[in-house]
Amino acid sequence: MPREAFVDGRYLPFDSAKVHVEDRGLQFSDSVYEVFAVREGRILEMAPHLARLKRSLAEIGQGMPMSDAALGVHVREIVLRNRLADGLVYLQVTRGVSKRDHAFPATAVRQSVIMTARSADPAKAAKSVAAGVAVICVPDIRWGRCDIKSTALLANVLAKQQARTAGAYEAWLVDESGFVTEGSSTNAWIVSEAGALVTRSIRDNILPGVTRAGLLAAIAGEGYTVEERSFSVVEAKKAREAFITAASSFVLPVVTVDSTKIGTGRPGPVTLALRERYLAEAG
Ligand code: PLP
């Protein structure tokens, strides 16, 4: 049983060490981490682990929470406080605590630095070395299961932040073939040149939005042509109207895509009618 953990700049008894409910690591996986091996009381490969931490943080738009020297002191301290001879030190750095919003906090918040230590049994490790281990092969689905409403939202966070930086409300995610999959936190729709309501099929690796399904149900039998299929960015830019759906915004008109005006460049009549219809049914 570990004895102490490092949270928010303090060493705390392991059982009472907690992170805030709105920590972005918890809410969005807006965080990175490192693991240091400890062998006979010595921390291995400190410098390359800190270098990788710095790189990971830079890739998500963050700096190091403190100097390498200060982090090194804390890694050593957690080893001492847990009387660790052989084991691991886990170090997580999150973007910090802020009111929930995919985009980065508008005003700087302090990053959360979390450190825990756990011991390993060298005798058990020796047994594995002597016997060898088995592996199985599985498909590499990392960052790929968009149908699961997972809190692993780092990619969505980075996309939403790109939208904010560009002065946009939402980022539409585009696959390798130029088709829009969905928004970073919304489903994407167009009213095509021919007047059909088009939204990607939920069989095609997107989040099955509850609002999307609710809207489809609300308008069933009302004479709309609905096409659950992929649409490209090129098709979207030529569409009569575009909109997004989500629990957070219901049916929201999109008036530009990459600065290209959609239709008249104003919320379209079909979109506004769909919003009314959805709210009448669901609200
Ligand atoms: N797509 C993504 C990636 C989302 O995160 C969300 C909502 O958070 C949606 C679509 C819309 O889903 P819902 O209508 O259930 O809110």
Side-chain angles (χ1 to χ4, degrees), residues 124-206:
K124 209 171 151 197
K127 275 190 195 159
S128 296
V129 173
V133 296
V135 302
I136 63 162
C137 294
V138 299
D140 187 347
I141 60 160
R142 291 174 295 168
W143 285 37
R145 286 295 305 275
C146 305
D147 57 311
I148 301 172
K149 197 165 170 64
S150 159
T151 53
L153 287 167
L154 181 55
N156 308 54
V157 161
L158 298 178
K160 185 77 88 186
Q161 181 58 30
Q162 275 185 266
R164 284 293 150 84
T165 304
Y169 177 85
E170 177 60 303
W172 274 3
L173 311 171
V174 180
D175 71 16
E176 283 163 3
S177 309
F179 290 99
V180 174
T181 54
E182 59 185 323
S184 70
S185 63
T186 60
N187 287 113
W189 302 65
I190 56 169
V191 181
S192 72
E193 278 184 296
L197 288 181
V198 185
T199 192
R200 193 173 173 101
S201 164
I202 59 166
R203 285 191 300 277
D204 216 356
N205 200 22
I206 57 167

Side-chain angles (χ1 to χ4, degrees), residues 37-221:
V38 180
R39 194 155 184 259
E40 294 168 359
R42 285 181 312 109
I43 298 149
L44 308 191
E45 313 258 30
M46 176 84 90
H49 281 295
L50 291 180
R52 187 171 63 185
L53 179 70
K54 191 179 219 157
R55 181 188 176 281
S56 298
L57 284 167
E59 287 298 310
I60 64 166
Q62 294 191 59
M64 289 282 261
M66 58 185 92
S67 68
D68 284 20
L71 272 174
V73 166
H74 286 302
V75 174
R76 277 183 213 100
E77 186 66 22
I78 202 82
V79 167
L80 291 177
R81 286 179 182 245
N82 285 283
R83 300 183 190 160
L84 205 66
D86 294 278
L88 298 167
V89 172
Y90 290 91
L91 163 60
Q92 280 92 7
V93 181
T94 88
R95 204 180 300 275
V97 175
S98 182
K99 184 165 170 257
R100 194 182 185 285
D101 179 7
H102 281 59
F104 300 172
T107 49
V109 295
R110 191 160 49 95
Q111 290 159 291
S112 304
V113 181
I114 302 160
M115 247 181 265
T116 47
R118 80 153 49 138
S119 62
D121 178 1
K124 209 171 151 197
K127 275 190 195 159
S128 296
V129 173
V133 296
V135 302
I136 63 162
C137 294
V138 299
D140 187 347
I141 60 160
R142 291 174 295 168
W143 285 37
R145 286 295 305 275
C146 305
D147 57 311
I148 301 172
K149 197 165 170 64
S150 159
T151 53
L153 287 167
L154 181 55
N156 308 54
V157 161
L158 298 178
K160 185 77 88 186
Q161 181 58 30
Q162 275 185 266
R164 284 293 150 84
T165 304
Y169 177 85
E170 177 60 303
W172 274 3
L173 311 171
V174 180
D175 71 16
E176 283 163 3
S177 309
F179 290 99
V180 174
T181 54
E182 59 185 323
S184 70
S185 63
T186 60
N187 287 113
W189 302 65
I190 56 169
V191 181
S192 72
E193 278 184 296
L197 288 181
V198 185
T199 192
R200 193 173 173 101
S201 164
I202 59 166
R203 285 191 300 277
D204 216 356
N205 200 22
I206 57 167
L207 188 77
V210 169
T211 317
R212 176 191 178 285
L215 177 61
L216 287 172
I219 59 168

